Amino acid sequence: MAWKDEGKPAGPVILSNGWIVEVDRGVCIGAAPCTAMAPNSFALDEGGKAAILSTVDADDQETILNAARGCPVAAIRIKDASGKQIFPE
Ligand code: SF4
């Protein structure tokens, strides 16, 4: 598994569209809908928590946003390039 940022697999990482994405690993329960909804963006690491893949920019904004919305514990946080929080709203 290759992470977008090997130094901090859960982010925050900056996407090509400027979005800043992070998984709150203290909140993530490894339920994994994010990995099914945005398979280029999220995968479970060896600890069973979601992290952000190196291929994240292959998923479009809507896909990533839907994955964040689908997380049962709202562990995926997204900000736009200006730092304004997009999700959770
Ligand atoms: S959907 Fe949420 S709880 Fe489940 S693995 Fe992804 S970030 Fe973690």
Side-chain angles (χ1 to χ4, degrees):
M1 213 74 79
W3 309 117
K4 174 88 168 162
D5 184 336
E6 295 292 344
K8 42 182 171 72
V13 299
I14 300 174
L15 309 191
S16 59
N17 67 0
W19 280 10
I20 302 156
V21 177
E22 182 172 16
V23 177
D24 185 336
R25 294 167 63 84
V27 172
C28 174
I29 54 171
C34 62
T35 68
M37 295 174 80
N40 295 307
S41 300
F42 302 103
L44 299 186
D45 68 8
E46 61 281 0
K49 306 258 183 172
I52 301 160
L53 290 164
S54 61
T55 49
V56 60
D57 287 310
D59 282 335
D60 62 24
Q61 297 189 167
E62 202 57 28
T63 298
I64 295 169
L65 189 54
N66 281 337
R69 288 180 178 134
C71 175
V73 292
I76 299 170
R77 299 197 184 130
I78 304 172
K79 294 178 181 169
D80 70 14
S82 72
K84 179 174 168 280
Q85 184 130 328
I86 296 172
F87 191 87
E89 293 167 90

